[in-house]
């Protein structure tokens, strides 16, 4: 025993760690995320965002007035999951969030907007409720409002991953807003149909050529898929936002989906090596995540950590529920880490052992 103790002492002196002492920590049998399932209620989020709009100017807010969703399992970090930074951003009427660019891949889902816009690389596009806006890395972008109405949207970035890799780059623009160098809504006019491309454009863009997926087109696609009467047993009528030029996810490190859960549909449970953050665009229902029921309604946000069993239920008898979500599936697939499996017990439905109650 003395010889073994001496061995361990010498290993420590030489900054060496024997695998047999830490094998379960460095080679666990399955994913063990620090992020936990959680739900944020819309009325509380809106009140805090509106108060921030009154009390905090953009200079104090780091040029963006955004409230990051901080998962309680991540020890106070402003991250929704280990790989996803999600935030509720508030823009006052007639306000400009100045141009900047960063290496983090970004996108935003518009919750409320009347007269607000986003300008990416000189192309200004006015935003409407339900629009999904893309911002590939190192592209100049700013936001503004042309009237007295405030705007709200969900920000989604791969900041946790970028920070972990120590790959950060960030720059501020030399003007308060970008010059408009292209026709208004140019990228939507050129590429918004999704099935065609201008003959002079390259055929293998790394990122989607369109900067905004307009809600009217997304809703039509959902209703068309619903009419086709085909659906996933786990997500019901669900669509992924993709790059129309190559069929891949909109970003290399995260993807986004929109799903319609039809009245009284209760999906079956499954789990996968990817985390998801959901925004309830319309409807009322609940999701069961690892045996805990999370009741949601329009405007709420909730997190499903990696490798957590989950299923969804629309409690309405006559109205669809629509959920928008962001996930890190593209990252896991690129790294060959993605796995998925169904819940096999009880015909695919989990037993609810408790109902989530917010501590507030």
């Amino acid at each position: 025993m003395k010889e073994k103790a001496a061995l361990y002492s010498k290993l420590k002196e030489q900054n060496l760690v024997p695998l047999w002492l830490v094998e379960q920590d460095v080679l666990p049998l399955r994913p063990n995320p620090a992020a936990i399932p959680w739900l944020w209620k819309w009325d509380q989020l809106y009140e805090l965002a509106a108060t921030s709009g009154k009390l905090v100017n953009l200079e104090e807010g780091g040029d963006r007035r955004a409230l990051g969703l901080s998962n309680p399992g991540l020890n106070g970090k402003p991250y929704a999951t280990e790989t996803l930074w999600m935030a509720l951003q508030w823009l006052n009427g007639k306000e400009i969030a100045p141009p900047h660019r960063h290496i983090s891949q970004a996108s935003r889902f518009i919750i409320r907007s009347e007269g607000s816009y986003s300008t990416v690389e000189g192309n200004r596009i006015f935003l409407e409720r339900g629009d999904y806006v893309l911002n590939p890395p190192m592209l100049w972008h700013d936001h503004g409002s042309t009237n007295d109405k405030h705007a709200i949207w969900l920000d989604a970035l791969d900041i946790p991953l970028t920070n972990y890799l120590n790959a950060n780059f960030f720059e501020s623009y030399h003007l308060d807003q970008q010059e408009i160098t292209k026709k208004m809504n140019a990228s939507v006019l050129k590429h918004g149909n999704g099935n065609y491309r201008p003959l002079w454009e390259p055929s293998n863009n790394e990122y989607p050529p369109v900067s905004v997926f307009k809600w009217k087109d997304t809703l039509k696609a959902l209703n068309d898929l619903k009419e086709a009467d085909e659906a996933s047993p786990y997500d019901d009528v669900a669509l992924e936002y993709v790059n129309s030029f190559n069929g891949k996810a909109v970003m290399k490190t995260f993807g986004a989906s929109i799903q319609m859960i039809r009245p009284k549909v209760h999906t079956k449970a499954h789990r996968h090596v990817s985390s998801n953050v959901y925004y309830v665009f319309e409807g009322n229902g609940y999701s069961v995540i690892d045996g805990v029921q999370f009741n949601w309604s329009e405007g709420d946000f909730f997190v499903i950590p990696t490798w957590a069993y989950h299923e969804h239920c629309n409690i309405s008898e006559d109205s669809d529920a629509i959920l928008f979500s962001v996930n890190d599936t593209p990252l896991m697939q690129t790294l060959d880490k993605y796995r998925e499996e169904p819940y096999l017990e009880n015909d695919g439905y989990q037993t609810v052992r408790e109902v989530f109650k917010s501590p507030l």
Side-chain angles (χ1 to χ4, degrees):
M1 293 299 295
K2 289 183 178 180
E3 291 85 354
K4 185 177 290 187
L7 170 64
Y8 290 156
S9 178
K10 290 180 180 179
L11 289 172
K12 186 176 181 180
E13 290 175 2
Q14 295 298 318
N15 296 303
L16 297 170
V17 178
L19 175 62
W20 58 88
L21 295 184
V22 296
E23 185 169 7
Q24 291 186 352
D25 294 326
V26 300
L27 292 170
L29 298 179
R30 60 187 60 83
N32 185 29
I36 62 174
W38 200 256
L39 182 143
W40 293 264
K41 298 299 293 181
W42 173 248
D43 55 349
Q44 297 167 345
L45 287 170
Y46 183 86
E47 180 182 356
L48 293 170
T51 302
S52 300
K54 295 177 181 178
L55 301 180
V56 179
N57 60 48
L58 289 183
E59 289 75 16
E60 293 176 296
D63 76 26
R64 298 291 189 270
R65 191 184 295 103
L67 305 179
L69 302 182
S70 179
N71 191 295
L74 299 179
N75 298 317
K77 293 180 180 179
Y79 303 154
T81 74
E82 284 91 338
T83 59
L84 297 172
W85 187 85
M86 311 289 290
L88 189 68
Q89 185 169 160
W90 179 285
L91 184 75
N92 285 325
K94 293 186 177 179
E95 188 173 51
I96 296 175
H100 64 207
R101 64 180 183 177
H102 40 69
I103 200 67
S104 287
Q105 300 176 32
S107 67
R108 56 197 61 89
F109 186 80
I110 308 305
I111 297 172
R112 293 186 183 179
S113 175
E114 294 181 47
S116 67
Y117 60 82
S118 180
T119 306
V120 180
E121 291 290 314
N123 179 207
R124 177 168 293 179
I125 294 179
F126 281 89
L127 307 173
E128 301 170 296
R129 180 176 182 267
D131 289 355
Y132 182 47
V133 187
L134 305 180
N135 210 138
M138 298 308 288
L139 298 187
W140 294 111
H141 57 283
D142 60 62
H143 319 296
S145 175
T146 60
N147 58 27
D148 294 325
K149 302 291 183 65
H150 68 267
I152 314 173
W153 54 75
L154 166 65
D155 284 330
L157 293 89
D158 62 359
I159 291 176
L161 176 67
T162 303
N163 287 341
Y164 175 77
L165 296 173
N166 280 318
N168 289 289
F169 292 92
F170 181 96
E171 295 179 54
S172 294
Y173 200 62
H174 65 283
L175 298 175
D176 291 337
Q177 58 182 315
Q178 292 180 73
E179 305 93 334
I180 306 303
T181 60
K182 301 176 182 177
K183 186 178 179 64
M184 202 71 68
N185 296 323
S187 75
V188 175
L189 293 171
K190 288 173 63 179
H191 304 290
N193 57 73
N195 294 317
Y196 310 92
R197 65 177 174 89
L199 194 59
W200 59 88
E201 294 280 355
S203 61
N204 57 347
N205 285 22
E206 289 188 85
Y207 295 97
V210 65
S211 58
V212 178
F213 291 84
K214 301 299 291 183
W215 173 245
K216 62 180 179 64
D217 299 322
T218 303
L219 181 59
K220 182 181 185 303
L222 277 174
N223 283 326
D224 286 349
L225 185 58
K226 178 183 178 181
E227 183 67 20
D229 199 27
E230 295 185 29
S232 161
Y234 310 113
D235 296 300
D236 204 27
V237 180
L239 292 167
E240 179 186 9
Y241 295 90
V242 296
N243 183 340
S244 60
F245 276 16
N246 60 23
K248 296 182 179 180
V250 290
M251 295 290 165
K252 295 182 179 180
T253 56
F254 63 83
S257 299
I258 192 84
Q259 65 192 89
M260 176 186 288
I261 304 177
R262 293 165 293 180
K264 303 301 291 182
V265 166
H266 187 164
T267 69
K268 293 191 175 185
H270 70 156
R271 63 182 178 180
H272 39 66
V273 181
S274 65
S275 56
N276 287 65
V277 181
Y278 282 82
Y279 167 68
V280 183
F281 188 65
E282 292 180 3
N284 297 274
Y286 64 86
S287 296
V288 182
I289 309 172
D290 275 346
V292 179
Q293 180 172 315
F294 290 77
N295 298 320
W296 41 256
S297 55
E298 184 174 321
D300 293 350
F301 293 83
F302 61 96
V303 170
I304 300 178
T306 189
W307 209 237
Y309 281 118
H310 56 281
E311 61 199 75
H312 310 294
C313 181
N314 179 2
I315 61 175
S316 173
E317 295 185 356
D318 52 20
S319 298
D320 297 319
I322 298 180
L323 306 178
F324 169 82
S325 62
V326 175
N327 60 76
D328 57 8
T329 301
L331 172 66
M332 298 304 176
Q333 290 176 331
T334 298
L335 298 176
D336 197 21
K337 308 298 182 187
Y338 186 79
R339 299 292 183 272
E340 181 177 352
E341 69 178 26
Y343 186 77
L344 298 177
E345 300 177 18
N346 194 32
D347 196 30
Y349 299 100
Q350 302 171 77
T351 299
V352 176
R353 65 174 187 275
E354 63 178 298
V355 177
F356 175 81
K357 293 183 179 180
S358 173
L360 299 178

